[in-house]
Amino acid sequence: MFARWDKMAKQFSRIGKEIAIAVKAGGPDPNINPALRRCFQNAKSVNMPKDRVEAAIKRAGGKEMTNYEEILYEGYGPHGVAILVETATDNPTRTVANIRSHFNKGHGTFGNSGSVSFQFKKMGVFKLKPEGLKQDELEFELIDHGLEEMGEGTGENNEPVLVIRSAFADFGKMQKALEEKGIIPISAELEWIPTTVVDLREEQAEEVLKLVDKLEQDEDVQKVFHNLK
């Protein structure tokens, strides 16, 4: 139960920072701020209370708003697994020191910018409820809006979902196309998808996942991506 609460608190914190960044960039009105609409969808997908969302928006528009800087860190975990760490921080000096420490203690290697990201492709990832959707028709209709991949997946509670991927540059176009069709995604995220994967033995994979878990627990870390199969 405590692990579930910790995960929930981390998700709420991550989305709160995303809201702050979205409001700073495009204002507090979701009708003219698609990034904020995306935050609302993602908040709903993890059952973030409405009052927490409203409080985050209020803080983001206030004089004492924390200015978060989005920084991507790169490195290798044990056994050559590539790892990308997305952060949102108000203190980059603290953050880089912590991330470097996590890599060192986890038997990994902290890398320079560009040393790992070339092994990933940044994509828009939309998860939809499959009920009432005709996949073949939808796939054909979305090709003109940047659809690159469509397939079945699982959601936050292991429920079946339809996963749509678009190129990073087409993220806004895909979001708009879904909205115009009256389709509200369960979640809409920008993710780093590995172009190649590393297959390890179970005990080796556990070493990598232990480092990933440490990184995900850091207060400045938003998301962690890796190419472990």
Side-chain angles (χ1 to χ4, degrees):
M1 181 178 290
F2 289 114
R4 183 162 56 87
W5 286 343
D6 286 345
K7 181 180 178 183
M8 190 179 298
K10 178 67 176 177
Q11 289 172 329
F12 291 176
S13 175
R14 174 176 68 83
I15 292 173
K17 288 183 179 180
E18 289 179 353
I19 289 172
I21 292 167
V23 169
K24 182 181 178 181
D29 185 353
N31 294 314
I32 58 174
N33 187 342
L36 188 56
R37 288 201 300 277
R38 175 170 63 87
C39 291
F40 286 175
Q41 291 164 357
N42 296 338
K44 188 175 181 181
S45 74
V46 298
N47 298 313
M48 186 172 176
K50 186 177 179 180
D51 60 338
R52 291 285 295 269
V53 174
E54 291 173 347
I57 295 173
K58 187 175 181 180
R59 283 197 305 272
K63 293 181 180 179
E64 298 180 0
M65 178 187 70
T66 302
N67 288 316
Y68 292 109
E69 184 178 351
E70 295 179 283
I71 305 174
L72 180 70
Y73 296 103
E74 310 179 28
Y76 285 96
H79 312 293
V81 173
I83 298 177
L84 293 179
V85 186
E86 285 188 344
T87 67
T89 177
D90 59 348
N91 187 334
T93 302
R94 175 193 67 218
T95 304
V96 69
N98 288 345
I99 300 301
R100 188 189 302 275
S101 175
H102 292 316
F103 271 101
N104 290 340
K105 291 179 180 178
H107 306 291
T109 305
F110 187 72
N112 297 322
S113 178
S115 62
V116 168
S117 56
F118 70 92
Q119 300 180 57
F120 294 78
K121 184 177 182 181
K122 195 172 188 181
M123 302 186 76
V125 180
F126 301 82
K127 292 183 179 179
L128 315 178
K129 291 182 179 179
E131 293 81 15
L133 297 179
K134 297 180 179 179
Q135 292 188 29
D136 292 341
E137 290 182 14
L138 184 63
E139 185 173 10
F140 180 76
E141 292 170 356
L142 293 178
I143 287 175
D144 290 337
H145 301 282
L147 177 68
E148 291 199 7
E149 301 172 12
M150 177 183 285
E152 297 177 349
T154 55
E156 188 70 26
N157 299 309
N158 293 319
E159 73 278 15
V161 297
L162 185 63
V163 180
I164 289 174
R165 289 177 178 170
S166 70
F168 169 63
D170 293 324
F171 182 84
K173 188 164 63 171
M174 179 61 71
Q175 183 178 359
K176 183 178 180 182
L178 291 172
E179 288 178 353
E180 289 177 347
K181 293 179 181 298
I183 299 173
I184 301 176
I186 299 170
S187 65
E189 304 273 8
L190 290 168
E191 298 184 5
W192 290 90
I193 309 299
T195 53
T196 59
V197 295
V198 176
D199 193 6
L200 299 177
R201 298 193 306 272
E202 183 177 352
E203 63 271 19
Q204 293 176 323
E206 287 178 357
E207 291 181 56
V208 177
L209 294 177
K210 187 176 181 180
L211 170 57
V212 170
D213 183 57
K214 284 291 185 182
L215 288 164
E216 288 179 335
Q217 290 179 30
D218 189 282
E219 64 176 347
D220 295 329
V221 171
Q222 294 288 85
K223 300 174 193 171
V224 180
F225 304 95
H226 57 78
N227 69 343
L228 176 63
K229 185 175 181 180

